[in-house]
Every structure is written in structure tokens, then in C-alpha cells.
């Protein structure tokens, strides 16, 4: 099987967040999808090993920021290659709380959800969320996974659903 075929699929690049006893936590995700518009429902898939996964489960809520092509690519490194358990990823990052959840202001929009269901796979948890808040920060073009790989020349961390080991 040629897993590179998955890189031809359309994905966005997001910073998915939650809280740990009031402290903001988050990680990069690229498998966020809209399920329905009424009621507004979305999903996000996160690796079992991500600290954010446990925080979402305990909190019962999550949010995500939709990154734009103009978003600082260092945000992806900060939120994608370190653990919130060991590092304050929000230190020095411009963010605000929307419906109690942290969202990064340098994206083009945000979505806040209450978890209504979870689906377990062998490596990831798919959180299904009822949207309780959403907004637009700018009309910039949303960043796609293809843009991230082909223009920014970014890589995926080992916990990403789209990680492909080189070699």
C-alpha cells in the first residue's frame, strides 16, 4: 500500500485545544471535519498519546483554531512537536478564551464544542462535538495540509493521523 496517496486528500491544519484545570493545552490536528450543519456537529481525531486527548476527555470540551496560509508556521512546531504536559505552549502566543476554551487569534477562525461522543480506534480517539460557539478572525485563506507540506515544507509528528515514516 502506498500511504502517500493519503497526502492527496484535502485536509486543513488546526490547533485543537482544551484546558487542564484551567490551564490552556493544545496540539496540532489535521483531521477535523464537519459532520452536520444542523445541529452543528464536528469531529477531531487525536492520538491516544497526546496529552490534549486526556484533557478533552476530562473537560468534556474542545476548541480548534483554523490556521490560515498567513499563520506563523512556528505555531505548528510549537503545538505539534511538544507536549502540553511538559511545556506551556501558550506562553507568548496571542490567544483568547471563547466559551471557556482557548483559541489562537492568528488563525482565520475558531470552533468551540461540547463532546457528545467518542469513537476509539487502535491509535486515535475521534471526538464528536456539538458546536456551541464559532467565529471568523479574518478572511485569509485557510491552510491546507497540502500547502503545509508543499509550500511550508513541513513534516508531520509521529502522533499525527497522517504521519508516514520516511524510508
Amino acid at each position: 500500500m502506498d500511504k502517500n496517496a493519503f497526502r492527496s486528500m484535502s485536509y486543513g491544519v488546526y490547533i485543537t485545544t482544551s484546558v487542564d484545570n484551567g490551564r490552556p493545552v493544545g496540539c496540532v490536528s489535521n483531521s477535523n471535519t464537519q459532520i452536520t450543519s444542523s445541529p452543528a456537529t464536528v469531529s477531531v481525531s487525536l492520538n491516544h498519546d497526546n496529552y490534549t486527548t486526556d484533557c478533552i476527555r476530562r473537560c468534556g470540551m474542545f476548541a480548534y483554531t483554523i490556521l490560515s496560509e498567513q499563520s506563523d508556521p512556528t505555531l505548528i512546531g510549537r503545538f505539534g512537536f511538544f507536549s502540553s504536559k511538559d511545556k506551556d505552549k501558550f506562553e507568548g502566543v496571542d490567544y483568547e478564551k471563547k466559551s471557556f476554551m482557548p483559541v489562537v487569534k492568528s488563525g482565520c477562525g475558531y470552533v468551540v464544542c461540547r463532546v457528545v461522543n467518542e469513537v476509539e480506534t487502535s491509535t486515535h480517539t475521534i471526538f464528536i462535538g456539538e458546536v456551541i460557539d464559532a467565529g471568523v478572525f479574518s478572511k485569509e485563506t485557510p491552510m491546507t495540509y497540502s500547502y503545509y507540506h508543499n509550500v511550508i515544507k513541513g513534516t508531520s509528528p509521529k502522533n499525527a493521523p497522517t504521519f508516514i515514516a520516511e524510508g
Side-chain angles (χ1 to χ4, degrees):
M1 173 173 44
D2 184 356
K3 292 183 180 180
N4 286 303
F6 297 127
R7 290 192 173 164
S8 298
M9 294 175 69
S10 180
Y11 304 98
V13 182
Y14 312 92
I15 296 176
T16 296
T17 61
S18 192
V19 292
D20 178 20
N21 293 318
R23 181 179 71 92
V25 298
C27 62
V28 171
S29 60
N30 66 350
S31 58
N32 304 36
T33 58
Q34 179 180 350
I35 298 171
T36 63
S37 60
S38 183
T41 308
V42 298
S43 68
V44 61
S45 174
L46 298 179
N47 191 286
H48 293 155
D49 294 336
N50 285 0
Y51 189 68
T52 304
T53 301
D54 290 331
C55 295
I56 291 172
R57 189 169 282 121
R58 287 192 309 268
C59 173
M61 293 181 68
F62 67 90
Y64 58 87
T65 300
I66 304 157
L67 295 182
S68 77
E69 291 180 357
Q70 287 70 45
S71 293
D72 184 351
T74 64
L75 287 169
I76 297 168
R78 172 186 288 263
F79 283 88
F81 292 89
F82 299 96
S83 174
S84 290
K85 185 175 186 178
D86 306 319
K87 178 182 177 98
D88 179 1
K89 295 181 184 184
F90 286 85
E91 182 178 344
V93 172
D94 191 16
Y95 77 96
E96 63 184 280
K97 289 203 173 180
K98 297 287 190 177
S99 298
F100 308 105
M101 291 289 104
V103 294
V104 177
K105 291 171 66 174
S106 66
C108 54
Y110 70 90
V111 176
V112 180
C113 299
R114 178 180 62 82
V115 175
V116 294
N117 207 345
E118 296 178 29
V119 177
E120 294 298 327
T121 72
S122 59
T123 59
H124 286 68
T125 299
I126 302 164
F127 291 102
I128 300 172
E130 176 185 5
V131 177
I132 60 170
D133 192 6
V136 175
F137 288 133
S138 75
K139 295 194 183 290
E140 294 172 344
T141 302
M143 184 185 298
T144 64
Y145 186 69
S146 177
Y147 182 90
Y148 172 68
H149 278 283
N150 296 324
V151 176
I152 295 177
K153 305 293 185 196
T155 60
S156 296
K158 67 177 179 64
N159 286 352
T162 51
F163 174 75
I164 299 173
E166 300 298 325

